[in-house]
Short mmCIF file of all heavy atoms in Angstrom, two decimals:
data_model
loop_
_atom_site.label_atom_id
_atom_site.label_comp_id
_atom_site.label_asym_id
_atom_site.label_seq_id
_atom_site.Cartn_x
_atom_site.Cartn_y
_atom_site.Cartn_z
N GLU A 768 0.35 8.56 -7.27
CA GLU A 768 0.88 7.27 -7.46
C GLU A 768 2.19 7.11 -6.61
O GLU A 768 3.05 7.96 -6.72
CB GLU A 768 1.23 6.98 -8.88
CG GLU A 768 1.76 5.69 -9.24
CD GLU A 768 1.99 5.53 -10.74
OE1 GLU A 768 1.40 6.22 -11.53
OE2 GLU A 768 2.80 4.67 -11.05
N VAL A 769 2.18 6.13 -5.77
CA VAL A 769 3.40 5.85 -4.94
C VAL A 769 3.86 4.50 -5.26
O VAL A 769 3.14 3.54 -5.15
CB VAL A 769 3.03 5.98 -3.48
CG1 VAL A 769 4.27 5.65 -2.66
CG2 VAL A 769 2.59 7.37 -3.12
N LEU A 770 5.15 4.35 -5.62
CA LEU A 770 5.70 3.07 -5.95
C LEU A 770 6.60 2.65 -4.77
O LEU A 770 7.41 3.42 -4.26
CB LEU A 770 6.55 3.15 -7.18
CG LEU A 770 5.84 3.53 -8.46
CD1 LEU A 770 6.81 3.73 -9.63
CD2 LEU A 770 4.84 2.46 -8.81
N LEU A 771 6.35 1.37 -4.35
CA LEU A 771 7.14 0.77 -3.33
C LEU A 771 7.97 -0.29 -3.97
O LEU A 771 7.46 -1.36 -4.24
CB LEU A 771 6.27 0.21 -2.22
CG LEU A 771 5.40 1.22 -1.47
CD1 LEU A 771 4.65 0.51 -0.40
CD2 LEU A 771 6.20 2.37 -0.86
N ASP A 772 9.18 -0.05 -4.31
CA ASP A 772 10.01 -0.99 -5.08
C ASP A 772 10.95 -1.83 -4.20
O ASP A 772 11.34 -2.91 -4.61
CB ASP A 772 10.90 -0.26 -6.06
CG ASP A 772 10.20 0.08 -7.36
OD1 ASP A 772 9.22 -0.65 -7.65
OD2 ASP A 772 10.64 0.90 -8.10
N ASP A 773 11.22 -1.44 -3.00
CA ASP A 773 12.16 -2.13 -2.18
C ASP A 773 11.42 -2.62 -0.90
O ASP A 773 10.82 -1.83 -0.14
CB ASP A 773 13.21 -1.08 -1.78
CG ASP A 773 14.34 -1.74 -0.97
OD1 ASP A 773 14.24 -2.83 -0.58
OD2 ASP A 773 15.36 -1.01 -0.78
N TYR A 774 11.49 -3.91 -0.68
CA TYR A 774 10.80 -4.46 0.53
C TYR A 774 11.37 -3.91 1.82
O TYR A 774 10.71 -4.13 2.81
CB TYR A 774 10.96 -6.02 0.47
CG TYR A 774 9.93 -6.73 -0.39
CD1 TYR A 774 10.38 -7.57 -1.43
CD2 TYR A 774 8.55 -6.56 -0.22
CE1 TYR A 774 9.50 -8.19 -2.19
CE2 TYR A 774 7.68 -7.18 -1.09
CZ TYR A 774 8.15 -8.05 -2.02
OH TYR A 774 7.24 -8.69 -2.84
N SER A 775 12.50 -3.25 1.78
CA SER A 775 12.95 -2.69 3.08
C SER A 775 12.26 -1.38 3.36
O SER A 775 12.38 -0.86 4.47
CB SER A 775 14.48 -2.38 2.97
OG SER A 775 14.75 -1.35 1.96
N ASP A 776 11.41 -0.89 2.41
CA ASP A 776 10.61 0.34 2.67
C ASP A 776 9.61 -0.01 3.81
O ASP A 776 8.81 -0.95 3.61
CB ASP A 776 9.88 0.75 1.43
CG ASP A 776 9.13 2.07 1.58
OD1 ASP A 776 8.59 2.39 2.63
OD2 ASP A 776 9.19 2.94 0.60
N PRO A 777 9.62 0.70 4.90
CA PRO A 777 8.70 0.34 6.03
C PRO A 777 7.22 0.47 5.69
O PRO A 777 6.39 -0.05 6.36
CB PRO A 777 9.08 1.33 7.16
CG PRO A 777 9.79 2.47 6.47
CD PRO A 777 10.41 1.86 5.23
N ARG A 778 6.86 1.17 4.59
CA ARG A 778 5.46 1.27 4.27
C ARG A 778 4.84 -0.01 3.87
O ARG A 778 3.61 -0.17 3.93
CB ARG A 778 5.27 2.32 3.16
CG ARG A 778 5.62 3.75 3.62
CD ARG A 778 5.55 4.75 2.51
NE ARG A 778 6.61 4.52 1.57
CZ ARG A 778 6.76 5.28 0.48
NH1 ARG A 778 5.99 6.26 0.27
NH2 ARG A 778 7.76 4.99 -0.34
N TRP A 779 5.60 -1.04 3.39
CA TRP A 779 5.13 -2.36 3.13
C TRP A 779 4.33 -2.90 4.29
O TRP A 779 3.25 -3.42 4.21
CB TRP A 779 6.23 -3.30 2.74
CG TRP A 779 6.73 -3.15 1.35
CD1 TRP A 779 7.89 -2.43 0.99
CD2 TRP A 779 6.14 -3.64 0.07
NE1 TRP A 779 8.07 -2.50 -0.40
CE2 TRP A 779 6.99 -3.22 -0.98
CE3 TRP A 779 5.01 -4.40 -0.23
CZ2 TRP A 779 6.75 -3.48 -2.24
CZ3 TRP A 779 4.75 -4.67 -1.53
CH2 TRP A 779 5.63 -4.21 -2.56
N VAL A 780 5.04 -2.77 5.49
CA VAL A 780 4.42 -3.27 6.74
C VAL A 780 3.38 -2.31 7.27
O VAL A 780 2.26 -2.73 7.64
CB VAL A 780 5.55 -3.54 7.79
CG1 VAL A 780 4.94 -3.92 9.13
CG2 VAL A 780 6.48 -4.58 7.26
N GLU A 781 3.73 -1.04 7.28
CA GLU A 781 2.76 0.01 7.83
C GLU A 781 1.47 -0.03 7.07
O GLU A 781 0.34 0.17 7.65
CB GLU A 781 3.38 1.40 7.67
CG GLU A 781 4.56 1.61 8.53
CD GLU A 781 5.34 2.91 8.18
OE1 GLU A 781 4.76 3.77 7.36
OE2 GLU A 781 6.41 3.06 8.69
N LEU A 782 1.41 -0.24 5.73
CA LEU A 782 0.21 -0.23 4.98
C LEU A 782 -0.34 -1.69 4.81
O LEU A 782 -1.33 -1.83 4.14
CB LEU A 782 0.44 0.42 3.62
CG LEU A 782 0.82 1.91 3.71
CD1 LEU A 782 1.23 2.41 2.34
CD2 LEU A 782 -0.31 2.69 4.25
N ASN A 783 0.33 -2.69 5.33
CA ASN A 783 -0.10 -4.04 5.24
C ASN A 783 -0.41 -4.40 3.77
O ASN A 783 -1.51 -4.75 3.44
CB ASN A 783 -1.36 -4.28 6.11
CG ASN A 783 -1.74 -5.73 6.17
OD1 ASN A 783 -0.90 -6.59 6.04
ND2 ASN A 783 -3.05 -6.00 6.35
N ILE A 784 0.65 -4.41 2.95
CA ILE A 784 0.52 -4.77 1.56
C ILE A 784 1.07 -6.19 1.30
O ILE A 784 2.29 -6.33 1.23
CB ILE A 784 1.26 -3.69 0.69
CG1 ILE A 784 0.64 -2.33 0.90
CG2 ILE A 784 1.20 -4.08 -0.78
CD1 ILE A 784 1.36 -1.23 0.28
N PRO A 785 0.15 -7.15 1.22
CA PRO A 785 0.61 -8.52 1.01
C PRO A 785 0.94 -8.84 -0.46
O PRO A 785 1.76 -9.71 -0.77
CB PRO A 785 -0.48 -9.35 1.56
CG PRO A 785 -1.73 -8.53 1.34
CD PRO A 785 -1.27 -7.04 1.46
N LEU A 786 0.26 -8.23 -1.37
CA LEU A 786 0.35 -8.45 -2.78
C LEU A 786 0.39 -7.14 -3.58
O LEU A 786 -0.23 -6.14 -3.11
CB LEU A 786 -0.75 -9.33 -3.38
CG LEU A 786 -0.83 -10.75 -2.84
CD1 LEU A 786 -2.17 -11.42 -3.31
CD2 LEU A 786 0.30 -11.57 -3.34
N VAL A 787 1.04 -7.07 -4.73
CA VAL A 787 0.99 -5.94 -5.54
C VAL A 787 0.42 -6.29 -6.94
O VAL A 787 0.57 -7.45 -7.39
CB VAL A 787 2.46 -5.31 -5.70
CG1 VAL A 787 2.85 -4.75 -4.40
CG2 VAL A 787 3.45 -6.30 -6.21
N PRO A 788 -0.26 -5.43 -7.54
CA PRO A 788 -0.52 -4.02 -7.11
C PRO A 788 -1.60 -3.93 -6.02
O PRO A 788 -2.46 -4.84 -5.86
CB PRO A 788 -1.02 -3.31 -8.34
CG PRO A 788 -1.62 -4.40 -9.21
CD PRO A 788 -0.82 -5.65 -8.88
N THR A 789 -1.52 -2.91 -5.20
CA THR A 789 -2.52 -2.58 -4.28
C THR A 789 -2.80 -1.11 -4.39
O THR A 789 -1.91 -0.30 -4.58
CB THR A 789 -1.98 -2.85 -2.83
OG1 THR A 789 -1.76 -4.26 -2.64
CG2 THR A 789 -3.02 -2.38 -1.74
N VAL A 790 -4.16 -0.79 -4.39
CA VAL A 790 -4.55 0.61 -4.46
C VAL A 790 -5.25 0.91 -3.18
O VAL A 790 -6.18 0.24 -2.72
CB VAL A 790 -5.53 0.82 -5.66
CG1 VAL A 790 -5.97 2.28 -5.73
CG2 VAL A 790 -4.85 0.45 -6.97
N ILE A 791 -4.82 2.04 -2.57
CA ILE A 791 -5.40 2.44 -1.26
C ILE A 791 -5.92 3.88 -1.46
O ILE A 791 -5.10 4.75 -1.88
CB ILE A 791 -4.33 2.40 -0.13
CG1 ILE A 791 -3.80 0.98 -0.05
CG2 ILE A 791 -5.03 2.79 1.21
CD1 ILE A 791 -2.61 0.85 0.92
N ALA A 792 -7.13 4.11 -1.10
CA ALA A 792 -7.66 5.54 -1.13
C ALA A 792 -7.60 6.13 0.28
O ALA A 792 -8.00 5.44 1.27
CB ALA A 792 -9.12 5.46 -1.62
N PHE A 793 -7.13 7.31 0.34
CA PHE A 793 -7.02 7.97 1.60
C PHE A 793 -7.86 9.24 1.58
O PHE A 793 -8.06 9.93 0.53
CB PHE A 793 -5.58 8.43 1.83
CG PHE A 793 -4.64 7.26 2.14
CD1 PHE A 793 -3.99 6.61 1.16
CD2 PHE A 793 -4.47 6.88 3.46
CE1 PHE A 793 -3.10 5.55 1.46
CE2 PHE A 793 -3.61 5.79 3.84
CZ PHE A 793 -2.95 5.16 2.80
N ASP A 794 -8.34 9.61 2.79
CA ASP A 794 -9.01 10.93 3.02
C ASP A 794 -8.06 11.54 4.03
O ASP A 794 -8.11 11.19 5.25
CB ASP A 794 -10.43 10.77 3.55
CG ASP A 794 -11.08 12.11 3.74
OD1 ASP A 794 -10.46 13.16 3.48
OD2 ASP A 794 -12.19 12.12 4.21
N GLY A 795 -7.20 12.44 3.59
CA GLY A 795 -6.15 12.96 4.43
C GLY A 795 -5.21 11.86 4.71
O GLY A 795 -4.63 11.18 3.86
N ASP A 796 -4.98 11.54 6.04
CA ASP A 796 -4.19 10.43 6.44
C ASP A 796 -4.86 9.13 6.72
O ASP A 796 -4.29 8.16 7.13
CB ASP A 796 -3.34 10.82 7.67
CG ASP A 796 -2.26 11.88 7.43
OD1 ASP A 796 -1.89 12.05 6.30
OD2 ASP A 796 -1.92 12.67 8.35
N GLU A 797 -6.15 9.20 6.59
CA GLU A 797 -6.97 8.04 6.97
C GLU A 797 -7.32 7.18 5.76
O GLU A 797 -7.84 7.68 4.72
CB GLU A 797 -8.33 8.45 7.58
CG GLU A 797 -9.19 7.32 8.07
CD GLU A 797 -10.45 7.82 8.70
OE1 GLU A 797 -10.51 8.99 9.14
OE2 GLU A 797 -11.38 6.99 8.81
N GLU A 798 -7.01 5.89 5.81
CA GLU A 798 -7.36 4.96 4.69
C GLU A 798 -8.90 4.73 4.75
O GLU A 798 -9.46 4.46 5.83
CB GLU A 798 -6.67 3.55 4.97
CG GLU A 798 -7.07 2.61 3.87
CD GLU A 798 -6.35 1.22 4.03
OE1 GLU A 798 -5.23 1.16 4.62
OE2 GLU A 798 -6.99 0.28 3.58
N VAL A 799 -9.52 4.92 3.58
CA VAL A 799 -10.97 4.78 3.44
C VAL A 799 -11.36 3.57 2.63
O VAL A 799 -12.48 3.08 2.74
CB VAL A 799 -11.68 6.04 2.97
CG1 VAL A 799 -11.52 7.15 3.94
CG2 VAL A 799 -11.13 6.47 1.61
N LYS A 800 -10.48 3.11 1.75
CA LYS A 800 -10.79 2.02 0.90
C LYS A 800 -9.55 1.43 0.26
O LYS A 800 -8.61 2.19 0.08
CB LYS A 800 -11.80 2.57 -0.23
CG LYS A 800 -12.48 1.54 -1.03
CD LYS A 800 -13.46 2.22 -1.96
CE LYS A 800 -14.25 1.23 -2.68
NZ LYS A 800 -15.22 1.84 -3.62
N ARG A 801 -9.55 0.09 0.02
CA ARG A 801 -8.40 -0.51 -0.69
C ARG A 801 -8.84 -1.62 -1.61
O ARG A 801 -9.89 -2.25 -1.36
CB ARG A 801 -7.39 -0.96 0.41
CG ARG A 801 -7.40 -2.31 0.71
CD ARG A 801 -6.34 -2.84 1.60
NE ARG A 801 -5.59 -1.94 2.42
CZ ARG A 801 -4.30 -2.00 2.74
NH1 ARG A 801 -3.58 -2.99 2.27
NH2 ARG A 801 -3.72 -1.10 3.52
N ILE A 802 -8.06 -1.92 -2.57
CA ILE A 802 -8.22 -3.05 -3.46
C ILE A 802 -6.80 -3.63 -3.55
O ILE A 802 -5.87 -2.92 -3.90
CB ILE A 802 -8.91 -2.76 -4.76
CG1 ILE A 802 -9.08 -4.02 -5.52
CG2 ILE A 802 -8.11 -1.72 -5.56
CD1 ILE A 802 -9.92 -3.79 -6.85
N GLY A 803 -6.74 -4.89 -3.40
CA GLY A 803 -5.50 -5.57 -3.52
C GLY A 803 -5.54 -6.54 -4.68
O GLY A 803 -6.60 -6.95 -5.11
N ALA A 804 -4.40 -6.96 -5.14
CA ALA A 804 -4.28 -7.87 -6.26
C ALA A 804 -4.83 -9.20 -5.92
O ALA A 804 -4.77 -9.69 -4.77
CB ALA A 804 -2.83 -8.02 -6.67
N ALA A 805 -5.42 -9.87 -6.91
CA ALA A 805 -5.74 -11.29 -6.84
C ALA A 805 -4.52 -12.00 -7.25
O ALA A 805 -3.87 -11.71 -8.20
CB ALA A 805 -6.87 -11.60 -7.74
N ALA A 806 -4.17 -13.06 -6.42
CA ALA A 806 -2.96 -13.78 -6.73
C ALA A 806 -2.90 -14.31 -8.15
O ALA A 806 -3.94 -14.97 -8.59
CB ALA A 806 -2.75 -14.98 -5.68
#
């Protein structure tokens, strides 16, 4: 579990997270699947 609490964290942009919560599954460093919040 990784919490991104501060919008200044560059991972918001790097991981393209428009809404929270967002769950991203990785295989190593590669994103394989994601689910984002419904507004």
